[in-house]
Amino acid sequence: MVLLYDLASVHERIATNKKIVSIVDDEIDITVLFENAICADITGISVVSFNDPGIALEHFSKNKQAYALIISDMRMPNMDGLELLNKVKELNPKVRTMLVSAYDFHNNPIFEKYLQKGIIDSFTEKPIKINRLCQKVGDELQAYRQDVKKSNLT
């Protein structure tokens, strides 16, 4: 497990043949919990965690074709989850995105707009049960695979 402030350490951990699932949350305990749960439940992926959305975006921009899913908290310092996921989709519209938050974001007009535009593919509220998190991650990875398969057919 790597809590990232050093991009070089991330590159050492990522298997080149596996798609990346990234967890972005400013709370270290959340990234540790989510990463452990996803790594234990889902095979065939590389999971990386970031506690700084700016560093997460930097890593994504350098590896955007390797990413399958980004799971982001809503409220973080310097850049919120909405801004992060919008920038991610601008760089690679095929990557799946999941917003996670302990705050009610349903009345947020930017959230509603991003949901309609497909910038946010799914969302869930904290606290989330680990089995539900893994189910949602599995669903998003399946949707990613289907999207890739469709784009390869055209």
Side-chain angles (χ1 to χ4, degrees):
M1 167 133 10
V2 175
L3 301 175
L4 293 190
Y5 291 101
D6 176 11
L7 287 178
S9 64
V10 173
H11 294 293
E12 293 173 10
R13 310 184 51 224
I14 297 175
T16 56
N17 61 338
K18 294 181 179 181
K19 287 296 182 181
I20 300 170
V21 172
S22 177
I23 303 157
V24 186
D25 196 306
D26 59 318
E27 295 182 44
I28 292 173
D29 57 333
I30 295 294
T31 55
V32 170
L33 178 66
F34 284 13
E35 184 171 341
N36 286 339
I38 293 167
C39 286
D41 194 70
I42 300 172
T43 59
I45 58 172
S46 293
V47 180
V48 294
S49 298
F50 297 93
N51 301 113
D52 181 316
I55 294 173
L57 184 60
E58 181 182 346
H59 184 266
F60 178 81
S61 67
K62 292 178 180 176
N63 301 280
K64 60 187 168 219
Q65 298 307 320
Y67 268 79
L69 173 65
I70 294 188
I71 303 164
S72 177
D73 187 28
M74 173 79 154
R75 293 193 181 182
M76 298 179 286
N78 304 320
M79 182 187 317
D80 68 21
L82 293 173
E83 183 181 354
L84 172 65
L85 297 182
N86 185 47
K87 289 180 179 187
V88 161
K89 284 286 190 167
E90 287 175 358
L91 292 168
N92 180 357
K94 292 180 183 177
V95 73
R96 302 294 293 186
T97 58
M98 182 188 309
L99 188 67
V100 181
S101 182
Y103 301 96
D104 182 15
F105 42 80
H106 296 285
N107 295 324
N108 182 319
I110 296 172
F111 168 78
E112 295 295 333
K113 175 181 167 186
Y114 285 7
L115 193 59
Q116 290 174 356
K117 291 175 78 176
I119 294 167
I120 300 168
D121 294 306
S122 67
F123 58 90
T124 191
E125 294 178 9
K126 290 181 192 173
I128 182 171
K129 293 185 178 190
I130 292 304
N131 62 340
R132 179 72 179 131
L133 172 69
C134 292
Q135 178 186 4
K136 288 187 75 79
V137 169
D139 292 347
E140 288 302 320
L141 291 172
Q142 182 62 29
Y144 173 81
R145 287 185 204 102
Q146 289 174 344
D147 290 348
V148 167
K149 191 174 182 179
K150 284 180 194 174
S151 67
N152 288 341
L153 295 175
T154 57

